Amino acid sequence: MIRQDAQYQQGLELIEFLHGGHSGGERVAAVADISPDFADMTIAWATGHILTRPGLDLATRELILVAACATQGFALAQLVAHAEAALRAGASRQQILETILQLTFYAGGPAVSNALVALKDVLAEPQA
């Protein structure tokens, strides 16, 4: 297990902000049962260090992660988690949709189609 320092705490706080009780937090909890070290690395390094770096705002960082997950084609659970996080960070549903559509000629139609289907509920307008 890695040292649980300020960076780890910052990661925990950011995960709570971005994911709350949604799919991203559930993904970290699920992997913690299998590999607590990997969960700690995700919290401290990927979230506490990388996502908090200067130079890009949090919504842009999450849109990049949406694009990366959609391009891979097999990271659909992570795609949903990062799309939800992008919304919480201030990105719009339209920005998420445009991020996915931008990939059509780079990731291919099947990857884009699968991403859109995976994000159907996330991209739906919230009920008033």
Side-chain angles (χ1 to χ4, degrees):
M1 187 176 317
I2 66 169
R3 192 178 79 240
Q4 294 183 359
D5 56 9
Q7 193 172 335
Y8 180 88
Q9 186 59 39
Q10 187 175 14
L12 279 178
E13 291 169 7
L14 189 54
I15 286 173
E16 178 61 29
F17 170 72
L18 290 174
H19 300 291
H22 292 92
S23 56
E26 293 168 5
R27 302 275 320 152
V28 172
V31 77
D33 291 340
I34 302 162
S35 176
D37 288 339
F38 183 76
D40 286 350
M41 287 181 235
T42 299
I43 293 165
W45 300 340
T47 308
H49 180 67
I50 301 298
L51 278 179
T52 61
R53 290 180 49 81
L56 292 173
D57 62 81
L58 194 52
T60 300
R61 288 184 187 280
E62 286 296 340
L63 290 173
I64 291 167
L65 294 172
V66 165
C69 291
T71 300
Q72 288 179 348
F74 58 81
L76 298 179
Q78 292 83 357
L79 170 65
V80 170
H82 286 294
E84 291 171 348
L87 290 172
R88 286 183 154 222
S92 70
R93 285 171 173 71
Q94 188 64 34
Q95 287 174 312
I96 294 169
L97 181 59
E98 290 299 326
T99 297
I100 300 296
L101 292 176
Q102 180 67 31
L103 301 173
T104 301
F105 296 106
Y106 300 94
V112 169
S113 177
N114 290 342
L116 292 171
V117 170
L119 293 178
K120 180 180 179 181
D121 292 338
V122 176
L123 296 174
E125 290 297 323
Q127 300 299 316

